[in-house]
């Protein structure tokens, strides 16, 4: 491995997430791989050292030669920026925040213990956030020394069985011992094979310097005599020294004084880069995590439309108006969803989540989020999310919905759904049209003439019948009429049958209609 250099036109930066259960050896693996550490690498948090576990995101890096296809694309080295995510169940918010900035993931599994609860949750997060995953079977030195190769093979087979049914069932797997304990100072095992495998599976990410600048800030600290440094990953666009950026949560704008990539000054940074940005006259205590962006490009919302996918491992019902923890970037807030979809028979959900929403359509309101089965595939599902606290994020942000109040010692998956925020829905004038199918049954009270009957049973006496007038009424004998007017004040009504009243005076009457629930919470009725 070569010493990392500041990214240039010939250096490709890849953000490599390291996920896994607590004590699976993620930080040891990061140390074994890395040749350059940031100010937040390798559990430098004092509480991390005290407790002996990762409590926050850690960042470090190494560089290596590119694969032939990346060299053909014009790169002479690849820098892997390692995002070391905590593995403890109580820190899933931090895990989710770290996973959303990665291009590729390492899922670290204890060779002795196999797939554990947070291993599975990290696998779910990886399925949402990346298409490329490398399984790392760590701590192989802890397996019985007698015929260790056979024990490693059995451990790999157990992991493969656990991956069955996931999109990473055939993901490559490498066995390592990041921190061998048998001998003091023993070198890590399997690291060269791990790097070679990474090199071969690394694809050129789709990146662009166009569009608004957006930085996911994960650490903020003062530097005496310089200013305040914001470190993070550039999610979109680009930034240059002397550019003006906005900190939308604080509603302030600052000029970029300087930029660094792993302690080396650079004139600019673009999408995918890990960067430190220095600004002046900012109290670092005001912003631990958040966003830095092109002024005016990020909005704050209290309600939003989201396109969603359900997580198949979440076994509880996902009901309307049930509170969920919704994580967007490094922010987690409580939100209440109202689920809806296109009418039955509409096109099935595509492989990609939609990036726009059409308010002109009429949508079927659901009582809960539906799950696809082998026999029945559900269509695309959306939700109107109402946040307990305003949330600040750019359009099309990835979101993850969880029940983080679930017992952390439970083996149940706590992640319920994921998707993208398509835009704010704070104004009722946007006219979101949600409806439910309704049906009422009544009887003929008496026949008034050959074309008109008086009916009862549809309504209570206090019901406002005027919103139902003109709707179609079907008799159980096949005749079709129109709800013409109320009759008296007891909830009775008149139905006009243009082709003549039902021949059977005991025929049942059926009123089928749709009730619309608008964003303004007003109601209207339609057939």
């Amino acid at each position: 491995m070569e010493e990392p250099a500041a990214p240039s036109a010939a250096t490709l930066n890849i953000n490599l997430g390291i996920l896994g259960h607590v004590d699976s050896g993620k930080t040891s693996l990061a140390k074994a791989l890395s040749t350059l550490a940031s100010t937040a690498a390798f559990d430098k948090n004092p509480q991390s050292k005290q407790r002996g576990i990762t409590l926050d995101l850690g960042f470090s890096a190494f560089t290596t030669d590119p694969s032939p296809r990346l060299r053909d694309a014009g790169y002479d080295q690849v820098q892997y920026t390692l995002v070391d995510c905590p593995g403890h169940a109580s820190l899933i918010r931090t895990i989710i925040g770290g996973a959303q900035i990665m291009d590729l993931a390492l899922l670290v599994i204890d060779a002795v213990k196999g797939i554990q609860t947070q291993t599975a949750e990290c696998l779910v997060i990886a399925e949402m956030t990346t298409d490329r995953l490398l399984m790392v079977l760590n701590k192989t030195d802890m397996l019985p020394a007698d015929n260790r190769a056979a024990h490693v093979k059995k451990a790999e087979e157990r992991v493969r069985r656990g991956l069955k049914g996931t999109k990473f069932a055939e993901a490559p797997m490498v066995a390592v011992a990041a921190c061998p304990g048998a001998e003091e100072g023993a070198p890590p095992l399997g690291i060269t094979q791990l790097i070679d495998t990474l090199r071969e599976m690394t694809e050129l990410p789709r990146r662009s310097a166009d569009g608004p600048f957006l930085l996911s800030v994960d650490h903020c600290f003062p530097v005496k005599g310089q200013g305040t440094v914001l470190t993070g990953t550039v999610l979109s666009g680009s930034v240059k020294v002397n550019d003006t950026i906005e900190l939308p949560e604080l509603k302030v704008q600052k000029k970029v004084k300087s930029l660094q990539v792993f302690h080396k000054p650079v004139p600019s940074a673009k999408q995918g880069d890990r960067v430190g940005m220095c600004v002046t006259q900012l109290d670092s205590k005001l912003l631990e995590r958040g966003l830095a962006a092109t002024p005016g490009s990020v909005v704050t919302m209290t309600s939003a439309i989201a396109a969603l996918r359900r997580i198949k491992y979440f076994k509880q019902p996902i009901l309307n108006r049930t509170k969920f923890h919704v994580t967007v970037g490094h922010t987690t807030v409580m939100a209440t969803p109202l689920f809806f979809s296109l009418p039955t028979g509409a096109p099935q959900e595509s492989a990609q989540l939609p990036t726009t929403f059409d308010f002109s359509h009429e949508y079927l309101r659901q009582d809960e989020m539906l799950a696809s089965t082998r026999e029945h595939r559900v269509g695309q599902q959306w939700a109107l999310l109402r946040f307990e606290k305003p949330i600040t994020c750019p359009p099309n942000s990835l979101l993850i919905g969880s029940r983080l109040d679930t017992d952390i010692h439970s083996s149940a998956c706590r992640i319920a759904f994921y998707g993208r925020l398509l835009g704010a829905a704070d104004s009722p004038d946007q006219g979101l049209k949600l409806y439910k199918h309704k049906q009422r049954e009544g009887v003929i009270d008496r026949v008034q003439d050959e074309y008109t009957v008086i009916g009862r049973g549809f309504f209570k006496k206090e019901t406002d019948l005027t919103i139902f007038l003109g709707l179609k009424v079907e008799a159980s004998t096949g005749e079709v009429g129109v709800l013409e007017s109320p009759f008296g004040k007891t909830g009775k009504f008149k139905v006009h049958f243009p082709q003549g009243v039902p021949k059977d005076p005991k025929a049942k009457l059926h009123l089928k209609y749709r009730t619309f629930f608008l964003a303004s919470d007003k109601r209207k009725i339609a057939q």
Side-chain angles (χ1 to χ4, degrees), residues 1 16-19 24-38 40-43 54 56-62 80-85 106 108 136 138 176-179 188 191 194-195 198:
M1 290 186 294
L16 179 61
I18 304 182
L19 306 171
S24 59
K26 299 183 301 301
T27 301
S28 296
L29 180 64
K31 288 180 179 179
L33 287 168
S34 301
T35 55
L36 186 64
S38 75
F42 311 142
D43 296 342
T54 300
D56 205 348
L57 299 176
F59 294 89
S60 55
F62 70 93
Y80 289 95
T81 298
L82 306 180
V83 186
D84 182 13
C85 296
L106 300 181
V108 184
V136 181
N138 193 21
V176 305
C179 186
I191 300 301
L194 173 57
I195 293 174
L198 271 176

Side-chain angles (χ1 to χ4, degrees), residues 312-333:
K312 62 183 178 180
Y313 309 106
F314 189 82
K315 300 305 181 184
Q316 301 175 40
I318 305 177
L319 303 176
N320 265 347
R321 306 193 185 283
T322 300
K323 291 183 179 181
F324 285 86
H325 295 85
V326 170
T327 302
V328 182
H330 295 297
T331 301
T332 298
V333 299

Side-chain angles (χ1 to χ4, degrees), residues 187-447:
L189 305 175
I191 300 301
T192 299
Q193 183 187 356
L194 173 57
I195 293 174
D196 288 344
T197 305
L198 271 176
R199 182 188 294 117
E200 290 306 311
M201 66 185 295
T202 299
E203 300 287 345
L204 188 64
R206 294 181 180 179
R207 291 176 179 166
S208 171
D210 298 332
F213 167 69
L214 184 66
L215 176 73
S216 175
V217 179
D218 46 61
H219 290 90
C220 182
F221 55 90
V223 177
K224 190 174 182 179
Q226 297 293 320
T228 297
V229 174
L230 312 173
T231 63
T233 302
V234 182
L235 300 181
S236 66
S238 62
V239 66
K240 305 186 298 296
V241 174
N242 294 324
D243 278 356
T244 297
I245 56 97
E246 181 180 27
L247 303 174
E249 290 96 339
L250 303 181
K251 295 181 171 54
V252 298
Q253 295 186 9
K254 298 291 179 182
K255 182 171 285 189
V256 178
K257 182 180 178 182
S258 63
L259 295 168
Q260 287 191 359
V261 173
F262 283 99
H263 311 301
K264 295 191 176 183
V266 293
S268 64
K270 63 182 183 302
Q271 184 183 34
D273 287 340
R274 171 81 186 165
V275 66
M277 173 190 297
C278 184
V279 300
T280 58
Q281 297 182 335
L282 175 66
D283 185 351
S284 62
K285 296 178 182 178
L286 296 177
L287 184 71
E288 181 181 5
R289 289 197 174 104
L291 298 170
T294 298
S297 63
V298 175
V299 299
T300 298
M301 60 189 80
T302 56
S303 296
I305 301 293
L308 300 179
R309 295 276 195 274
R310 183 182 171 121
I311 300 300
K312 62 183 178 180
Y313 309 106
F314 189 82
K315 300 305 181 184
Q316 301 175 40
I318 305 177
L319 303 176
N320 265 347
R321 306 193 185 283
T322 300
K323 291 183 179 181
F324 285 86
H325 295 85
V326 170
T327 302
V328 182
H330 295 297
T331 301
T332 298
V333 299
M334 296 300 295
T336 304
L338 179 62
F339 298 108
F340 58 93
S341 62
L342 285 169
T344 304
Q348 300 299 305
E349 66 181 23
S350 62
Q352 300 296 323
L353 284 162
T355 56
T356 59
F357 183 77
D358 190 345
F359 279 93
S360 68
H361 283 311
E362 295 177 351
Y363 296 91
L364 178 62
R365 175 177 159 171
Q366 301 169 191
D367 293 325
E368 63 180 290
M369 192 175 188
L370 304 177
S372 292
T373 64
R374 289 184 179 180
E375 295 75 24
H376 176 69
R377 300 293 298 176
V378 301
Q380 175 59 54
Q381 298 180 84
W382 290 269
L384 172 63
L385 294 171
R386 299 187 188 276
F387 304 114
E388 287 194 354
K389 296 180 181 179
I391 189 168
T392 301
C393 63
N396 284 312
S397 293
L398 175 68
L399 70 92
I400 296 176
S402 313
R403 289 299 302 269
L404 302 183
D405 51 351
T406 304
D407 183 0
I408 63 173
H409 301 294
S410 167
S411 60
C413 177
R414 295 174 292 166
I415 304 171
F417 55 82
Y418 75 102
R420 294 203 172 273
L421 288 178
L422 303 184
D426 296 330
S427 171
D429 296 332
Q430 288 175 281
L432 176 63
K433 294 181 278 291
L434 303 184
Y435 70 86
K436 289 197 73 173
H437 290 291
K438 298 283 188 177
Q439 179 172 326
R440 300 190 183 202
E441 184 177 283
V443 296
I444 297 173
D445 188 70
R446 70 175 188 269
V447 176

Side-chain angles (χ1 to χ4, degrees), residues 20-72:
H21 192 90
V22 65
D23 288 333
S24 59
K26 299 183 301 301
T27 301
S28 296
L29 180 64
K31 288 180 179 179
L33 287 168
S34 301
T35 55
L36 186 64
S38 75
T39 56
F42 311 142
D43 296 342
K44 289 184 179 178
N45 184 313
Q47 290 186 5
S48 293
K49 293 181 179 180
Q50 181 180 357
R51 294 177 59 183
I53 61 173
T54 300
L55 295 177
D56 205 348
L57 299 176
F59 294 89
S60 55
F62 70 93
T63 59
T64 186
D65 293 332
S67 65
R69 61 179 174 276
L70 292 181
R71 190 177 295 279
D72 290 344

